[in-house]
Amino acid sequence: MKPTYLYRLMIWVGIAVLLIWSLGPIYWTIASSFTPTDDFSVRPIHFFPQHLTFDHYARLLGINIARIGGVEVFKQFRAALVNSVVTSVAATFLCVAISALGAYAFTRLEFPGRKVLFVLVVATLAIPAYAVLIPLYQIMINLHLVDTYVGVALIYVSAFLPLSLWLLRSVFEALPIALEEAAQLDGAGRLYIFFNIVLQLAGPGLTAAAILTFLGAWGQYLVPLIFSPQATKPLTVLIPEFVTKNFVDYGLITASGSIAIIIPALVVIFLNRYLVSGLLAGSVK
């Protein structure tokens, strides 16, 4: 039975609403980043910039040095961008490496309490972050890891490890065990099999885990707000600081937000097919 005209119309209207809801804020941010400061108070509101300007980006990139509270914007922005990249990449690498080893152990090795331990680890996903902030902060202080790359990366790993572990365990369970058994008959050890066979087959799953971890770490705000106040402050913490008591610099906020969108957007655009295939890797055995 062919779908009716009304049904097709409802589908297209739903898609249009979804696209506007999802892409509308992104477009508004990018359009506002090219809008002069004086035009932000103009009424009625224009959905397209009436006068294009690159001043906000020039200030962020140090082309036209501007000062906020006596601090150069370019130096702050550059440091925050580097901090975001370093902490997100480090957390992604550690999380995927640890979860891959753990997932393989939970899938192929037999040891007492294996299922119970896996359930307990994954169950930590249900614990709200704010419930453990105080004890976690005390631990970080005692270890002298507050406002350090290592400390922030480890916190991100602890937050995203359960999800990555659950995903990769499903991926490893779907892999044919016959290849590993054949390699064992040829005298290959567990580590050789893991690094040379299993990881090769689990590529999409590893990529999916890496993408989810990176995007989650890149968009964190509460954790770096508390644990990265100065030296390792990321973009998510720096951008709100452009709002002062007496003035809101919409130009800097939207321009820095547009730049902050670029890296995760590129990750999703170019690695989207690996994300989908990785998430579906364990759905069919």
Side-chain angles (χ1 to χ4, degrees):
M1 181 178 178
K2 295 182 62 177
T4 62
Y5 175 78
L6 180 60
Y7 177 79
R8 292 197 299 269
L9 179 62
M10 292 177 61
I11 293 295
W12 283 109
V13 170
I15 294 175
V17 171
L18 181 61
L19 289 175
I20 294 174
W21 179 267
S22 303
L23 301 180
I26 299 177
Y27 164 76
W28 189 255
T29 299
I30 297 175
S32 299
S33 68
F34 293 102
T35 301
T37 302
D38 295 338
D39 289 359
F40 284 112
S41 58
V42 174
R43 296 295 182 274
I45 297 176
H46 298 285
F47 292 98
F48 301 94
Q50 299 299 299
H51 307 91
L52 291 177
T53 180
F54 294 92
D55 289 345
H56 308 310
Y57 289 99
R59 297 167 63 190
L60 284 177
L61 300 177
I63 300 174
N64 180 19
I65 299 298
R67 294 178 176 273
I68 298 179
V71 180
E72 291 184 354
V73 178
F74 168 63
K75 292 182 179 180
Q76 281 188 329
F77 181 79
R78 180 183 59 184
L81 179 60
V82 172
N83 292 338
S84 294
V85 172
V86 171
T87 54
S88 298
V89 171
T92 301
F93 177 79
L94 289 175
C95 187
V96 173
I98 297 173
S99 60
L101 291 169
Y104 183 74
F106 281 119
T107 305
R108 296 291 189 255
L109 303 183
E110 294 288 344
F111 54 89
R114 181 182 66 167
K115 294 182 179 180
V116 175
L117 182 59
F118 177 78
V119 171
L120 291 177
V121 173
V122 176
T124 59
L125 287 171
I127 301 177
Y130 55 79
V132 297
L133 281 180
I134 294 178
L136 188 58
Y137 189 74
Q138 292 176 336
I139 293 174
M140 290 292 107
I141 289 179
N142 292 330
L143 296 176
H144 304 286
L145 293 178
V146 174
D147 209 10
T148 63
Y149 289 137
V150 175
V152 177
L154 290 178
I155 294 175
Y156 288 163
V157 170
S158 66
F160 300 112
L161 182 62
L163 176 61
S164 183
L165 183 66
W166 171 76
L167 172 62
L168 292 180
R169 181 174 179 265
S170 300
V171 172
F172 290 156
E173 285 181 340
L175 297 179
I177 196 173
L179 295 177
E180 300 177 41
E181 293 175 343
Q184 286 179 333
L185 292 176
D186 291 336
R190 281 287 184 184
L191 290 179
Y192 180 88
I193 294 173
F194 175 74
F195 286 106
N196 293 278
I197 298 177
V198 175
L199 292 185
Q200 302 295 329
L201 298 175
L206 295 172
T207 305
I211 293 173
L212 293 176
T213 303
F214 180 84
L215 295 179
W218 184 270
Q220 283 293 308
Y221 174 73
L222 180 61
V223 169
L225 179 65
I226 297 174
F227 296 95
S228 302
Q230 295 297 331
T232 57
K233 180 190 303 181
L235 287 175
T236 51
V237 178
L238 174 68
I239 293 174
E241 293 182 355
F242 293 142
V243 179
T244 63
K245 182 178 180 180
N246 300 315
F247 178 69
V248 179
D249 199 327
Y250 294 106
L252 283 183
I253 293 174
T254 54
S256 55
S258 299
I259 295 176
I261 292 172
I262 293 176
I263 294 180
L266 291 177
V267 170
V268 173
I269 291 173
F270 290 103
L271 299 179
N272 178 61
R273 61 190 183 96
Y274 296 105
L275 176 62
V276 175
S277 61
L279 294 175
L280 297 177
S283 61
V284 180
K285 295 185 179 180

